[in-house]
């Protein structure tokens, strides 16, 4: 079953139109940005929140960046595999991904991506769940289940994810 963070933090009801921005200097391709856009849409179709990309990283509600190793928030990344990404509970909006991962954005990860390949969209949908206030679920099919096998892709919300997020919003 779905879970929330202690104290059930969520974005306040007067802040349901959220903005997001990418760390300047990551210079992400349009393909990569499109993966995040698709991941946000999965959630915005089931709750009354909207997600709009803006250029200003400093003022965005949700700040997305790729970092390697120790990046100053007390939760260093660890090279290939191990920790893939982390996000903080509302209303932090911090959403960090491990730049050392072998991120795959093709949408066809199962064919021949290699044993360390991680599907970016799968991780993005999971981390956005954390950004919105969901903890981990015990339901294996859910997006918020705490493990994923490398070389697999899981991007569709399960009914458990939808029930949980609709309680929050
Ligand atoms: N990163 C963990 C995660 O996001 C960070 C974490 C550990 C965490 N314990 C937590 C976050 C408790 C909130 C609450 O889950 S991770 C997956 C999955 C990770 C794991 O790198 O291990 C995904 C990131 F579910 F696939 F295993 C994204 Cl999708
Ligand atoms: Zn971080
Ligand atoms: Zn998680």
């Amino acid at each position: 079953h779905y879970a929330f963070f202690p104290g059930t933090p969520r974005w306040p009801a007067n802040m349901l139109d959220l903005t997001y921005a990418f760390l300047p200097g990551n210079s992400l391709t349009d393909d990569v940005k499109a993966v995040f856009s698709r991941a946000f849409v999965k959630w915005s179709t089931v709750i009354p929140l909207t997600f709009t990309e803006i250029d200003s990283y400093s003022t965005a509600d949700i700040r997305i960046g790729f970092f390697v190793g120790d990046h100053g928030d007390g939760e260093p990344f660890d090279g290939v595999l191990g920790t893939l990404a982390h996000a903080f509970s509302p209303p932090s909006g911090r959403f960090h991904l491990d730049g050392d991962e072998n991120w795959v954005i093709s949408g066809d990860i199962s064919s021949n991506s290699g044993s360390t390949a991680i599907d970016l969209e799968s991780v993005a949908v999971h981390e956005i769940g954390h950004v919105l206030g969901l903890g981990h679920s015990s339901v294996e099919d859910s997006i918020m289940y705490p493990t994923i096998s490398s070389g697999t892709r899981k991007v569709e919300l399960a009914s458990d994810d939808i029930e949980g997020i609709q309680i929050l919003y």
Side-chain angles (χ1 to χ4, degrees):
H1 234 271
Y2 56 79
F4 307 125
F5 292 110
T8 321
R10 73 191 89 192
W11 292 88
N14 63 350
M15 260 192 87
L16 298 184
D17 294 310
L18 299 175
T19 57
Y20 68 94
F22 299 101
L23 182 71
N26 276 166
S27 55
L28 305 180
T29 63
D30 287 346
D31 281 5
V32 171
K33 291 186 179 187
V35 168
F36 289 96
S37 175
R38 285 200 298 276
F40 279 114
V41 166
K42 306 269 187 216
W43 293 104
S44 65
T45 55
V46 300
I47 48 175
L49 272 69
T50 65
F51 303 100
T52 304
E53 187 190 344
I54 62 171
D55 287 330
S56 170
Y57 186 77
S58 60
T59 63
D61 299 311
I62 299 167
R63 294 170 303 285
I64 303 170
F66 289 83
F67 298 87
V68 294
D70 188 345
H71 52 284
D73 63 9
E75 306 209 25
F77 285 132
D78 53 4
V80 178
L81 299 182
T83 300
L84 312 172
H86 53 228
F88 297 75
S89 55
S92 159
R94 267 189 294 169
F95 176 171
H96 297 168
L97 300 106
D98 188 341
D100 281 332
E101 301 305 338
N102 176 21
W103 295 110
V104 170
I105 63 166
S106 72
D108 186 25
I109 191 165
S110 57
S111 47
N112 58 7
S113 316
S115 60
T116 61
I118 303 291
D119 182 62
L120 178 61
E121 189 171 346
S122 302
V123 171
V125 178
H126 179 98
E127 295 303 327
I128 292 167
H130 288 320
V131 165
L132 297 178
L134 288 177
H136 284 150
S137 172
S138 57
V139 174
E140 194 167 351
D141 288 341
S142 74
I143 287 290
M144 297 315 296
Y145 192 70
T147 61
I148 190 171
S149 314
S150 93
T152 63
R153 179 169 162 85
K154 182 163 65 177
V155 298
E156 301 301 334
L157 301 185
S159 51
D160 181 73
D161 301 304
I162 295 171
E163 283 169 33
I165 203 70
Q166 289 186 342
I167 288 171
L168 282 180
Y169 300 99

